[in-house]
Amino acid sequence: MTMSLAGCGTSTGSGDGVTLRLVAADYDVAGGESSKKYWADLTAAFEADNPGIDVEVRIESWNDVDRKVAEMVRAGKAPDIAQIGAYADYAAADKLYSADQMLSIPVQSNFLPPLTDAGEMKRTLYGLPFVASTRLLFYNKELFEDAGITGAPGTWDELKEDAEQLKLNTDVTYPFALPLGPEEAQAETMMWLLSGGGGYTDELGRYAIDSPQNIETFEWLKENLVDAELTGPVAPGSLNRKDAFAAFTRGEVGMLNGHPSLLQAAEKTGIDVGTVALPGKDGEADAAMGVADWIMGFKQNGHREEIGTFLDFLFADENVLEFAGQNDLLPVTVSAQETMRNDPEHADLKDFLEVLPGSVLPPVGKTSWASASEDIKKNIGEAVGPGGSPARTLSRISQDAKAAEAAE
């Protein structure tokens, strides 16, 4: 029997002693117990409200969680719910329930549009956004003041001028840190592509990695920042995000692109942080990069109704805000975002909250994105390296991505 009733997840389940198995990622980078406590408290409250539905939670590190869920699925032992980094392969293999098979209509309609767009495959929502983030330009206010810089850059040219001032007047180690190393080069790349009016895909959703705008962006980066020796002692292709962030917290970086968790880390070490929307070629970039992690319901065990009941509970504002707040991340629903924006306790996240609704996410709905992303991580640094050619590097990456997409 085909299940197609929208909003069917509002029922409290069959009450026949169903146990849902949930695998979730550990967000506590300090090695603490915050993720375990969140899920323990959440499931205890859920079970009290829903007799007959139990939830067993297994927490895995981010280094392992995607692999372990994949192993479970291959072994025919899929969890009922997985909170991981990607959903596309499972959706393409028809292993997931769609949102309208699980969630009540109010919950479905409450997600921020850029996040639901990214969670769709063939116009059907399978990847439910669990938590989100976006990126801003971070700058060290003390270094700016020492260099005689009175305001944050609003254009590429101003960013270059500020980097030159930082190098000339403060001899800062990294006037602008450009992490194009293999850890997260696909994110840094996308930020710059968006600021140049391009992106990974065109208006029809097709790969356009070697578009004229993208090539021009990387030519500007190479000529004006890298070749001008404004990006520090480590070649961008060898600089990982983690190391760039650590250098910022030590006061060694004038500017870099960062996410909300860096804000707290830098302030803990006494860095006076300024944030501003990423500059574009001639003014503020048209869009910021958004990022989301995903939660999904697997079909294998047939617990569609119970999964929907749990997910409706999970996406209540208080639960969304609790998890986002404790991890310096952004809520994924319209109502929770509005609550956070009006909460003085989260005033430092205001700029991030402002740009998230208009953000653009990577093309995570393509099963080919995993290989394309890995290609970018490994090779994009060549585009700005000695003797590098942005046109040549972007063209090869684009051709491989298109070939992988054609094979989907």
Side-chain angles (χ1 to χ4, degrees), residues 137-144 172-177 241-259 262-267 269-275:
L137 177 71
F138 281 56
Y139 61 97
N140 184 314
K141 289 184 177 180
E142 183 177 347
L143 291 176
F144 265 49
V172 63
T173 306
Y174 296 88
F176 186 95
R241 179 197 62 171
K242 181 179 179 180
D243 297 326
F245 281 15
F248 187 83
T249 66
R250 295 193 300 266
E252 299 172 3
V253 175
M255 295 176 283
L256 52 58
N257 295 329
H259 57 57
L262 177 60
L263 200 61
Q264 187 178 75
E267 289 174 348
T269 61
I271 304 298
D272 191 3
V273 181
T275 59

Side-chain angles (χ1 to χ4, degrees), residues 188-343:
E188 184 73 17
T189 296
M190 184 172 178
M191 290 180 241
W192 280 99
L193 299 185
L194 291 172
S195 73
Y200 284 131
T201 58
D202 61 20
E203 63 277 3
L204 298 178
R206 301 171 301 194
Y207 282 119
I209 298 172
D210 60 347
S211 70
Q213 299 98 313
N214 293 346
I215 292 172
E216 183 179 353
T217 293
F218 265 77
E219 288 176 342
W220 187 92
L221 277 175
K222 177 174 171 54
E223 177 182 347
N224 291 277
L225 294 184
V226 182
D227 291 350
E229 299 182 350
L230 298 175
T231 54
V234 180
S238 300
L239 181 64
N240 282 324
R241 179 197 62 171
K242 181 179 179 180
D243 297 326
F245 281 15
F248 187 83
T249 66
R250 295 193 300 266
E252 299 172 3
V253 175
M255 295 176 283
L256 52 58
N257 295 329
H259 57 57
S261 64
L262 177 60
L263 200 61
Q264 187 178 75
E267 289 174 348
K268 283 180 178 178
T269 61
I271 304 298
D272 191 3
V273 181
T275 59
V276 67
L278 271 61
K281 183 178 179 182
D282 300 309
E284 184 179 318
D286 291 338
M289 184 190 74
V291 178
D293 298 326
W294 309 97
I295 192 163
M296 61 213 71
F298 282 85
K299 291 180 175 180
Q300 180 180 311
N301 302 314
H303 295 152
R304 175 190 60 81
E305 187 176 352
E306 292 83 3
I307 292 170
T309 303
F310 178 78
L311 292 175
D312 271 0
F313 184 87
L314 172 70
F315 286 113
D317 279 359
E318 60 269 25
N319 297 325
V320 172
L321 287 164
E322 174 69 20
F323 194 88
Q326 76 178 21
N327 291 287
D328 293 313
L329 293 167
L330 307 181
V332 296
T333 62
V334 175
S335 55
Q337 191 195 53
E338 187 64 25
T339 299
M340 181 176 277
R341 184 186 290 115
N342 294 324
D343 185 349

